[in-house]
Amino acid sequence: MRVEDLDMDRVRAADGVEARQLADLRALGLLWDGAPVRQSERLDAYRDAVASLPTYECFCTRREIAEAASAPHDGYRAYAGTCRDLTDAQRDARRAERAPAIRVDARGARFTVLDEHAGEVTGVVDDFVLVRGDGQFAYNLAAVVDDVDAGVTHITRGADLLSSAPRQAWLTSRLGGVPATYAHIGLVTNARGERLAKRDGAVTMRDLGGYPADVLAALSDSLGLGPCRSTEEALAAMPGDQRFFSGVRFDGAALAQEPATASTISTT
């Protein structure tokens, strides 16, 4: 279990958000080995990883990056390498104006990953950010360092992150790890069929009435396994071959007002 808390502010941390999330997972029967690993406690590992890579300082603003980059792909704008070849004098001048981000110098590398849905996916590795201008380690760095240290072999996540896989797998190999096998699956959407987001409101186990078996039954039913009321039952219902869903529509408001059913969480 990894707690990705680099962006968690002190107010939320003190409010017990992590404890409630872990309690909800346990209530659903989703357990893990050992104590949770918190990214906020692994900063030295991230520093060591950055020190082992070819990097350069970047002073570009988001607007400058958007103007210099090609059209965004899945919402991501590849960096054009604007600051890669700055002179020492130019860096000194810009450093006086703003704190730099640290980018990896990938030199236009290309990398191929294996995805259970899409097959082989090859992408160009742009010079992505390792350390933000505020000194915070970037997700692309921290997640990969953690995956390498944990020996992660399979990654299942949303289809919107497929284009990031070659970039992260390349970094995995540069850090001495073996790239994982991926399965990018359909996103969870709201009642209107739009990507589920924070604006749709936070839905916790308590918001849903506090009945883990009902919630688990709805989740498993949305995957075509039937309304399983325990993780053991859901595992037994899984087919022998690997099967992935294309997406799930989630109506949190309806689910909070009635017992969890397939009518409030459904496969799309």
Side-chain angles (χ1 to χ4, degrees):
M1 173 58 65
R2 183 164 78 213
V3 179
E4 298 181 345
D5 59 348
L6 289 180
D7 284 327
M8 181 178 288
D9 57 53
R10 294 180 180 179
V11 174
R12 286 195 298 149
D15 195 34
V17 172
E18 175 192 319
R20 289 198 301 273
Q21 291 175 336
L22 296 180
D24 284 351
L25 292 175
R26 290 191 186 96
L28 288 171
L30 301 175
L31 307 179
W32 53 90
D33 297 325
V37 175
R38 296 175 181 82
Q39 289 187 330
S40 59
E41 299 172 354
R42 289 179 44 78
L43 303 185
D44 286 343
Y46 307 145
R47 292 189 188 97
D48 290 344
V50 173
S52 72
L53 297 166
T55 61
Y56 62 88
E57 294 176 319
C58 175
F59 304 90
C60 296
T61 64
R62 291 185 178 180
R63 179 177 179 179
E64 290 170 340
I65 293 172
E67 291 175 348
S70 57
H73 182 63
D74 292 335
Y76 180 82
R77 289 185 182 275
Y79 184 64
T82 307
C83 292
R84 182 193 297 120
D85 299 319
L86 293 178
T87 66
D88 290 341
Q90 289 173 322
R91 289 193 179 91
D92 289 341
R94 298 196 182 190
R95 201 179 294 117
E97 299 174 355
R98 59 180 298 152
I102 304 298
R103 292 183 179 272
V104 68
D105 190 354
R107 292 289 175 175
R110 297 177 65 85
F111 207 84
T112 300
V113 300
L114 177 63
D115 184 82
E116 295 287 354
H117 274 324
E120 290 190 351
V121 177
T122 300
V124 175
V125 181
D126 70 321
D127 295 351
F128 56 92
V129 170
L130 301 177
V131 186
R132 301 186 328 207
D134 61 2
Q136 185 75 271
F137 292 106
Y139 172 81
N140 273 326
L141 171 76
V144 170
V145 172
D146 292 343
D147 287 349
V148 171
D149 287 353
V152 170
T153 58
H154 291 74
I155 295 175
T156 301
R157 60 188 187 181
D160 59 325
L161 295 176
L162 178 59
S163 62
S164 296
R167 182 184 311 118
Q168 294 173 341
W170 173 85
L171 182 57
T172 297
S173 66
R174 288 301 304 261
L175 294 176
V178 177
T181 295
Y182 292 87
H184 288 84
I185 59 180
L187 300 179
V188 179
T189 61
N190 59 24
R192 299 179 298 279
E194 303 165 341
R195 175 178 174 175
L196 195 66
K198 292 180 181 178
R199 64 177 175 273
D200 294 303
V203 180
T204 67
M205 190 76 71
R206 292 152 196 78
D207 296 329
L208 300 178
Y211 299 103
D214 287 337
V215 175
L216 185 60
L219 291 172
S220 62
D221 202 23
S222 74
L223 297 174
L225 304 178
C228 304
R229 301 183 68 80
S230 70
T231 52
E232 292 79 11
E233 187 178 349
L235 288 171
M238 286 185 178
D241 59 331
Q242 292 182 318
R243 182 175 62 180
F244 305 99
F245 59 92
S246 59
V248 167
R249 182 170 296 187
F250 179 82
D251 187 349
L255 189 55
Q257 296 173 5
E258 60 182 273
T261 64
S263 64
T264 51
I265 303 181
S266 59
T267 303
T268 55

